[in-house]
Amino acid sequence: TTNTRLRVLELYSGIGGMHYALQESGIPAQVVAAIDVNTTANQIYRHNFPDTTLWNKTIEGITLDEFDKLPVDMIVMSPPCQPFTRVGLQGDIADSRTKSFLHILHLLPRLCRRPRFILLENVKGFEVSSARQRLVETLVECGYTFQETMISPTSVGIPNSRLRYFLTAKLSTANESSQSSKIPEAFPHPAGASPHQHSVVSSPPSAATGRPDEDTQGGHVLYKQETEREAQRKTSQNQDLSVRRIRDFLEPPGDVNMEHYLLPPGTLLRYSLLLDIVQPTCRRSVCFTKGAEALLLCVLQMESVFAGLDQMSEDDKLQQLLKLKLRYFSPREVANLMGFPQSFSFPQQISTKQQYRVLGNSLNVVVVARLLRLLVS
Ligand SMILES: C[S@@+](CC[C@H](N)C(=O)[O-])C[C@H]1O[C@@H](n2cnc3c(N)ncnc32)[C@H](O)[C@@H]1O
């Protein structure tokens, strides 16, 4: 019945990755409010969750009174990550984009009813920020126990690297804190387990005994500007049989016009040696951020195409590269790799570029669903 469902507040809701993760987790829950200032993301959210209350407002503009009127059992949030990304300027709490997060930390101890559960997602780098330090202090002050982890979707068998920081917190009756000094790259143990029991495993058992794929095995030619070490990492990722193949996440051929996603000649010529190319048989892809940097290759004679490329005229080079039929993942394929259900869609007016951008800002639904189950169990 309705009143036994967890009441959830979704902050920085974007396109609703957290909402989908709640659904995927199977936990009886209801998002009582979602909040975001981005109008594009909000259009997409409304399109997919027309019955959810969505506030198109800044979080720092929401008062204690307004939060108290909601009361919620759980807060899920992915604060803006630019202040913490390694490539960014690392403005941390001095960055104005952290203001809203500090506002939440200010309100939490003052709420008339504190949520029992909190889940926060952020980029790698957050764990060493002062924002994280403030968060932890606030949680301890408010009587929460918490666990922190770094997880990539590869650990749930999805061929996409997206190492992210997660913190799950639970309001405890006893006053024990569960702060661990090292952040494990693994799912936390279900409630009750001591943080000291964490074993630091980043991936499921090695598939070294599995038979490597002939077609991804080749690798004699270092046709790209990559180090031997990178090439080896890619090869070993492709041999990890606990991770599914890229082809399981592709749109069925004929469903969409893939010509739309082919790389234009200029891009091919300029970036051919820097592209991260994967094939349908691969078991890896790079992290999607603002654009979809990961590419897909549809033919297999890659080595022969790339051989001697640097000695060719621009024209010949282009002819060779065009043979590869290199294309970008479509937004739907990116969504598939991020664990979004088939029911997720974009409203007509959202451009392809906007679709990539909002997906790049979102999260892996399957990873968060699993964390939510562990938190609530
Ligand atoms: C990392 S994204 C979160 C994405 C979301 N989890 C999803 O699945 O799409 C951060 C979101 O926070 C929003 N945001 C940033 N600052 C905000 C603020 N001060 N108030 C409300 N929303 C904000 C951005 O518009 C962006 O959609």
Side-chain angles (χ1 to χ4, degrees):
T1 63
T2 326
N3 47 7
T4 60
R5 287 199 285 167
L6 282 185
R7 295 173 56 86
V8 180
L9 172 63
E10 187 180 14
L11 298 174
Y12 310 99
S13 48
I15 56 173
M18 291 283 188
H19 199 150
Y20 281 114
L22 270 169
Q23 289 185 342
E24 164 85 17
S25 74
I27 298 166
Q30 176 200 5
V31 175
V32 294
I35 311 178
D36 203 294
V37 278
N38 185 291
T39 47
T40 304
N42 286 349
Q43 282 174 49
I44 300 163
Y45 192 102
R46 279 206 187 92
H47 173 78
N48 289 289
F49 300 106
D51 301 328
T52 302
T53 305
L54 173 62
W55 295 349
N56 194 351
K57 291 186 192 176
T58 65
I59 286 164
E60 56 273 39
I62 294 170
T63 63
L64 180 61
D65 197 43
E66 288 174 286
F67 279 116
D68 274 337
K69 284 199 179 112
L70 286 174
V72 294
D73 303 300
M74 180 188 281
I75 295 178
V76 289
M77 57 176 146
S78 355
C81 54
Q82 296 94 333
F84 313 111
T85 45
R86 313 202 122 196
V87 291
L89 290 172
Q90 303 202 21
D92 203 343
I93 53 171
D95 191 302
S96 64
R97 287 167 296 194
T98 315
K99 225 189 204 152
S100 58
F101 183 63
L102 296 177
H103 181 64
I104 299 163
L105 297 186
H106 175 79
L107 293 183
L108 193 62
R110 293 168 176 79
L111 287 176
C112 65
R113 201 180 103 197
R114 289 177 193 158
R116 275 153 64 204
F117 306 107
I118 296 173
L119 184 143
L120 175 138
E121 180 256 4
N122 218 275
V123 288
K124 183 169 167 58
F126 184 82
E127 73 280 8
V128 293
S129 68
S130 356
R132 179 261 174 196
Q133 193 54 40
R134 298 251 188 124
L135 169 65
V136 163
E137 285 163 13
T138 308
L139 291 174
V140 171
E141 177 196 332
C142 294
Y144 287 88
T145 57
F146 63 92
Q147 288 187 304
E148 297 170 284
T149 51
M150 294 285 196
I151 302 182
S152 181
T154 49
S155 61
V156 293
I158 295 177
N160 181 232
S161 297
R162 191 181 185 87
L163 189 63
R164 287 292 182 268
Y165 168 92
F166 294 95
L167 180 142
T168 50
K170 196 173 192 167
L171 200 56
S172 64
T173 35
N175 212 12
E176 88 282 16
S177 141
S178 68
Q179 200 171 344
S180 56
S181 53
K182 182 147 182 16
I183 299 179
E185 290 190 18
F187 284 97
H189 289 269
S194 146
H196 305 293
Q197 290 170 352
H198 281 318
S199 50
V200 184
V201 262
S202 53
S203 58
S206 137
T209 49
R211 195 176 61 88
D213 312 323
E214 314 85 77
D215 45 357
T216 54
Q217 233 339 27
H220 324 290
V221 188
L222 281 185
Y223 50 85
K224 291 181 59 185
Q225 284 178 357
E226 67 186 3
T227 62
E228 188 104 18
R229 191 141 158 248
E230 282 173 80
Q232 270 166 15
R233 181 179 49 77
K234 289 178 181 178
T235 305
S236 80
Q237 284 179 318
N238 285 330
Q239 289 171 357
D240 184 348
L241 301 185
S242 69
V243 176
R244 294 162 65 191
R245 293 180 195 270
I246 287 288
R247 67 171 171 228
D248 296 352
F249 298 82
L250 302 181
E251 299 198 68
D255 260 30
V256 268
N257 184 7
M258 283 304 168
E259 301 282 306
H260 186 60
Y261 302 107
L262 286 176
L263 268 74
T267 309
L268 278 177
L269 282 174
R270 226 166 312 141
Y271 301 115
S272 61
L273 299 177
L274 300 170
L275 301 169
D276 190 77
I277 301 167
V278 294
Q279 294 163 258
T281 51
C282 286
R283 299 180 193 274
R284 58 163 214 95
S285 64
V286 294
C287 183
F288 307 110
T289 51
K290 285 254 149 67
E293 291 118 274
L295 301 163
L296 186 73
L297 176 74
C298 289
V299 294
L300 295 173
Q301 280 76 36
M302 220 173 356
E303 283 82 359
S304 62
V305 169
F306 275 91
L309 209 57
D310 41 344
Q311 284 97 345
M312 287 178 199
S313 72
E314 293 282 281
D315 257 7
D316 291 349
K317 208 189 222 177
L318 185 58
Q319 287 320 307
Q320 285 295 99
L321 289 169
L322 284 171
K323 282 190 202 163
L324 292 175
K325 293 198 162 50
L326 279 177
R327 68 165 179 87
Y328 295 102
F329 282 116
S330 71
R332 179 65 250 178
E333 290 167 341
V334 174
N336 291 345
L337 283 162
M338 294 181 72
F340 279 69
Q342 289 309 307
S343 61
F344 169 77
S345 67
F346 290 101
Q348 201 109 58
Q349 74 273 20
I350 307 294
S351 71
T352 305
K353 204 170 172 178
Q354 288 173 318
Q355 295 181 19
Y356 284 131
R357 186 169 309 141
V358 292
L359 282 166
N361 261 336
S362 190
L363 45 82
N364 191 287
V365 169
V366 178
V367 167
V368 176
R370 193 177 291 194
L371 284 168
L372 285 169
R373 276 197 297 271
L374 289 168
L375 173 62
V376 171
S377 70

